[in-house]
Amino acid sequence: MAEAMAESYNRDSEPTTRTLLRRVLDTADTRTPRRRRSARVRRLSSPTKMNVRRRSHRARSIGRLAHVHTSGNLEEQTPRTLLKNILLTAPESSVMMPESVVKPVPTPQVVQSSRRESSRGSLELQLPELEPPTTLALGLLAPGRRKQRQRLSVFQQGMDQGLPLSQEPRGNGSASSLTSSLNLTFATPLQPQSVQRPGLARRPPTRRAVDVGAFLQDLRDTSLALASPGDSLRTPVATLPTDTVLEDTQPFSQPLIGRSPSVYHSLPCLSHTEAEDAERAVSHRIQSSGPRLQNHNPGKPTQLLAGKAKKVDALAVSFPNNSSAVSGEDGVEPLQDGVGEEAEERMEESLSVSKVMATTGTQGSVRMEKSKGHREMTEAAEAKEPEGSSGASPELASSTTEFLQARQPQFLEPAPPPSTAVLSSEPLEPLSTRLPPRARTPGPRARTPGPRPRQDPHKTGLSHYVKLFSFYAKMPMEKAALEMVEKCLFYPNPFGSLDKYFQHLCDDLEVFAAHAGRKTVRPEDLELLMRRQGLVNDQVSLHVLVERHLPLEYRQLLIPCAFSGNSVFPAQ
Amino acid sequence: MAFSTTVSQRKHIKRKAPRGFLKHVFKRQKPHLRLETSGDLLVHLNCLLFVRRLAEESRMNAFESKCGVIKKEHVQAAAKLFFSPTQPELRGMKENC
């Protein structure tokens, strides 16, 4: 070991991390229980002490400490732990602690700082164990060459400034010098650079003024374009995002969850106008202090809207911050979709309520609907409600409607749904962008009369499959051929008495369910059907087909998967 | 089977299942029966596979008749294969799988 020590001393000329580590290893090796401790320690501690004493006043105390601690804690130290500590505290660059920096540091700080650093250095190990290795490290580093003295002093200052922020405030800034000497990796390593080279500093992301209106309009356009083709997806499945994101993300999944905190964080950074709008919405709600119920209902949608607007615009503000614009859009869309869906349902309830209230002619709902319908359905609004009811409140709420309008300019274009109650449609329209394309196919909704809505979801559902046919065919097709496909799918075969696909399907499923003594068709029946069709066999299982052809969200619904907490979804 | 997640066509194919439509159809056909929650997704899967098979079959028919366009007759012929007695269909399907 002596020659190793000599070696290490000879290597003083190039004190890199590697040499340091080697030194430490050499010294540390001697401390393992396997070796003869007493002899080694004595031999080593003295050279260590010598080494330290040679360099600096501080190092001496370190050596002393090291000596004390090494003799005391021989059992707890292993080369592994030492190495770990060294690695943790090792400098990223090969910058050594110059004497000029070491010397000013007073001795009592060493213990304190070493303790602090040790506690920071390796959180897993206990405190007393860390002192010797760190002091060892110090002792080894101290005799090192003073490279880049200037840089370090500057760095030290930077660390002094930066450490109180980044580290737990367990000590004072006095220890920062120590940590700076060792270039702790816990502090942000870029900080020292920023002090010397301001050009490399991490600037706070410049927030360009996002044209909120244009952005929201674009959002609306894309969400409209991707909206479902008019079939009534009002089930909870409707919370699924649009198709482009169906395979990529989940609705309200982690990316979005990760984003929503940032949304809420950026809420305080919202522009002043948005805060004003929120205030106005609040005041508007307060103002419409009619019956509590009625106040509640307009309040809810307004709140929803305001919240939605906030979220949207917060996302818009944080848009430049997000590295991926696509994910931002995707996140906003499902958010809007989801919120819009809930808002839809709530608006449905409020619809009926507001209808009742409208007959009584209370001010709040009037204001509410008037404000909402003010921009979009001007003719309807004027026809319906007394315009002179409140001149002030439309202005108040107009700010919210400006918002809404900026987001949903398309409402002006689609014709008002053929509902008798335009009043009811007014609060409905601004809320849901998906409603106008789907308002024509309300199907289950009783308020829209006529056979047209009832046929539409049917047609659109069928056409969905017809489109898929043309997609799979990859060839141009005649219109007649497409009609033929439609016939194949649904309508009875004109050639003979054969039923067509869906009817076949339903019959088979009925038979299978009855065979199992059930009145509910379950997935097992479906699997049996596919097995009979030859789609599922011993080589290809149903799950494989599900994975191949269905988007991710459906796969999660169909294939049971184990989650944390000993739970399986979907439950079996 | 090559399965591409990206749509290279100009047409935007929606991958959502028209669940309402499926439920509606089933209810119409068999009002005394009930369909389970995820059952309609499997029905959708079945439809997808059916449509895919139909399309491939009609495409092959069109190739055979050296047409660049799928015509009504091709589709009809393909459909006959599916809705006729199942033996030839099974054979065809096993090839596809």
Side-chain angles (χ1 to χ4, degrees):
Chain A
M1 287 312 296
E3 56 273 9
M5 290 302 297
E7 248 185 341
S8 64
Y9 291 163
N10 292 340
R11 264 184 250 120
D12 271 352
S13 52
E14 10 150 341
T16 59
T17 319
R18 182 187 293 259
T19 58
L20 278 182
L21 267 174
R22 195 165 297 180
R23 262 184 231 153
V24 173
L25 262 179
D26 293 340
T27 55
D29 276 342
T30 61
R31 299 226 176 83
T32 55
R34 296 184 220 138
R35 326 254 178 139
R36 283 175 294 156
R37 293 184 215 144
S38 51
R40 306 283 179 184
V41 167
R42 257 181 253 125
R43 213 199 302 174
L44 274 170
S45 60
S46 43
T48 316
K49 264 164 77 177
M50 259 170 36
N51 181 20
V52 163
R53 231 181 267 128
R54 251 194 288 153
R55 297 302 166 159
S56 70
H57 148 76
R58 173 161 155 263
R60 193 190 308 156
S61 57
I62 296 165
R64 230 183 292 130
L65 272 172
H67 178 56
V68 165
H69 285 286
T70 52
S71 53
N73 306 346
L74 278 173
E75 296 82 357
E76 290 113 60
Q77 289 173 54
T78 58
R80 178 185 293 252
T81 62
L82 285 173
L83 245 188
K84 199 199 289 189
N85 297 331
I86 297 304
L87 279 173
L88 286 172
T89 60
E92 284 178 295
S93 56
S94 65
V95 171
M96 294 310 304
M97 186 62 161
E99 280 187 12
S100 59
V101 186
V102 171
K103 272 178 191 164
V105 178
T107 324
Q109 279 185 3
V110 170
V111 182
Q112 185 188 38
S113 49
S114 69
R115 208 179 298 125
R116 212 194 118 191
E117 180 218 316
S118 63
S119 59
R120 249 185 281 111
S122 68
L123 306 166
E124 308 92 328
L125 298 182
Q126 300 148 24
L127 271 174
E129 281 186 352
L130 286 173
E131 286 173 45
T134 53
T135 51
L136 242 190
L138 283 173
L140 289 167
L141 281 175
R145 191 158 290 262
R146 43 200 112 152
K147 256 191 213 169
Q148 299 165 14
R149 188 185 308 188
Q150 196 61 309
R151 229 175 136 186
L152 260 183
S153 55
V154 175
F155 166 51
Q156 188 187 342
Q157 289 160 23
M159 289 301 292
D160 285 340
Q161 294 152 19
L163 258 183
L165 303 169
S166 55
Q167 295 296 334
E168 310 147 35
R170 227 179 279 192
N172 44 7
S174 63
S176 63
S177 60
L178 177 69
T179 55
S180 68
S181 71
L182 292 175
N183 290 3
L184 262 195
T185 58
F186 290 113
T188 54
L190 287 182
Q191 275 187 355
Q193 288 179 16
S194 67
V195 177
Q196 319 146 30
R197 300 176 193 166
L200 293 180
R202 268 192 199 149
R203 293 195 194 100
T206 53
R207 296 177 181 202
R208 55 185 163 88
V210 178
D211 185 12
V212 173
F215 172 62
L216 290 169
Q217 187 168 352
D218 291 340
L219 274 178
R220 286 289 151 201
D221 290 337
T222 46
S223 68
L224 261 186
L226 295 171
S228 76
D231 50 347
S232 54
L233 284 175
R234 283 178 189 86
T235 61
V237 180
T239 56
L240 282 177
T242 55
D243 302 286
T244 47
V245 286
L246 206 56
E247 289 156 61
D248 304 333
T249 62
Q250 277 183 358
F252 315 110
S253 66
Q254 278 73 28
L256 190 57
I257 288 171
R259 219 175 291 118
S260 50
S262 73
V263 164
Y264 294 125
H265 285 189
S266 58
L267 270 180
C269 326
L270 277 181
S271 59
H272 186 53
T273 55
E274 292 153 11
E276 278 176 3
D277 287 330
E279 283 172 36
R280 280 180 206 136
V282 170
S283 64
H284 170 67
R285 255 180 290 145
I286 293 168
Q287 263 205 4
S288 65
S289 59
R292 194 172 44 90
L293 176 66
Q294 174 252 329
N295 179 26
H296 185 54
N297 275 326
K300 261 206 283 191
T302 325
Q303 189 181 18
L304 267 174
L305 280 169
K308 227 168 99 165
K310 264 200 231 171
K311 280 182 202 166
V312 167
D313 296 302
L315 278 171
V317 169
S318 62
F319 206 69
N321 301 346
N322 286 342
S323 49
S324 59
V326 179
S327 62
E329 257 193 15
D330 292 347
V332 171
E333 280 172 10
L335 195 76
Q336 285 175 339
D337 286 355
V339 176
E341 291 299 334
E342 301 156 26
E344 247 182 57
E345 281 138 30
R346 274 181 236 180
M347 277 322 291
E348 288 302 311
E349 305 158 357
S350 73
L351 258 187
S352 46
V353 176
S354 51
K355 263 195 217 171
V356 172
M357 293 308 165
T359 57
T360 64
T362 46
Q363 289 286 317
S365 68
V366 162
R367 278 188 217 145
M368 175 67 180
E369 270 101 60
K370 171 126 182 79
S371 65
K372 288 230 173 90
H374 187 71
R375 296 283 184 277
E376 287 92 10
M377 315 288 296
T378 49
E379 70 281 5
E382 281 158 14
K384 279 287 166 185
E385 299 304 316
E387 296 102 49
S389 62
S390 49
S393 55
E395 293 160 14
L396 263 181
S398 68
S399 56
T400 53
T401 52
E402 271 168 18
F403 239 174
L404 302 170
Q405 199 194 7
R407 282 190 298 140
Q408 300 129 10
Q410 289 87 355
F411 290 143
L412 296 169
E413 294 136 30
S419 73
T420 55
V422 181
L423 175 70
S424 54
S425 72
E426 286 176 49
L428 198 60
E429 295 244 51
L431 259 187
S432 56
T433 57
R434 291 148 303 288
L435 255 197
R438 287 203 295 165
R440 299 170 193 136
T441 69
R445 299 195 196 272
R447 51 183 174 83
T448 54
R452 179 179 69 108
R454 245 175 265 140
Q455 276 296 72
D456 263 354
H458 205 261
K459 282 289 177 190
T460 46
L462 260 188
S463 69
H464 186 236
Y465 289 114
V466 174
K467 273 190 217 160
L468 276 170
F469 181 90
S470 66
F471 173 64
Y472 284 134
K474 295 183 175 51
M475 277 173 64
M477 297 181 58
E478 285 182 347
K479 287 262 160 63
L482 287 175
E483 283 167 24
M484 186 66 208
V485 171
E486 202 174 298
K487 270 205 207 131
C488 272
L489 278 178
F490 192 72
Y491 299 108
N493 194 353
F495 313 101
S497 61
L498 293 173
D499 283 331
K500 273 310 178 171
Y501 172 70
F502 273 117
Q503 290 161 10
H504 259 299
L505 189 82
C506 296
D507 287 339
D508 288 349
L509 290 177
E510 180 183 10
V511 166
F512 295 153
H515 181 74
R518 276 185 265 112
K519 286 219 177 131
T520 314
V521 174
R522 300 189 69 200
E524 295 94 59
D525 302 330
L526 264 294
E527 171 152 15
L528 182 60
L529 174 76
M530 295 179 76
R531 201 172 269 275
R532 277 185 59 98
Q533 286 185 344
L535 293 166
V536 174
N537 50 27
D538 295 333
Q539 279 76 42
V540 180
S541 84
L542 180 65
H543 287 191
V544 167
L545 289 176
V546 167
E547 279 188 37
R548 258 191 227 160
H549 298 282
L550 291 186
L552 174 74
E553 281 73 16
Y554 295 157
R555 180 192 185 276
Q556 281 173 343
L557 288 177
L558 284 170
I559 300 181
C561 183
F563 287 91
S564 75
N566 202 26
S567 67
V568 175
F569 180 79
Q572 288 179 320
Chain B
M1 287 188 272
F3 175 61
S4 75
T5 52
T6 57
V7 178
S8 52
Q9 277 189 344
R10 48 178 166 74
K11 269 186 275 187
H12 190 100
I13 294 296
K14 303 179 204 319
R15 300 216 178 262
K16 253 198 236 189
R19 297 183 80 173
F21 166 71
L22 293 173
K23 194 113 206 303
H24 184 61
V25 162
F26 188 77
K27 267 294 165 190
R28 269 243 197 111
Q29 292 273 318
K30 311 281 168 196
H32 54 279
L33 285 185
R34 281 183 284 167
L35 185 57
E36 242 194 80
T37 325
S38 309
D40 62 345
L41 289 177
L42 288 171
V43 169
H44 174 69
L45 176 67
N46 203 7
C47 294
L48 279 183
L49 292 168
F50 170 73
V51 163
R52 181 180 268 252
R53 280 180 289 155
L54 199 65
E56 285 182 9
E57 191 60 42
S58 42
R59 214 171 104 205
M60 285 202 306
N61 288 346
F63 279 156
E64 278 163 24
S65 58
K66 295 196 220 3
C67 262
V69 186
I70 294 180
K71 292 216 170 86
K72 188 171 175 175
E73 304 84 46
H74 307 142
V75 178
Q76 259 174 14
K80 269 201 192 254
L81 208 64
F82 278 101
F83 294 105
S84 63
T86 50
Q87 291 305 326
E89 177 193 335
L90 275 172
R91 253 185 279 125
M93 269 186 288
K94 277 190 181 136
E95 287 168 19
N96 285 344
C97 294

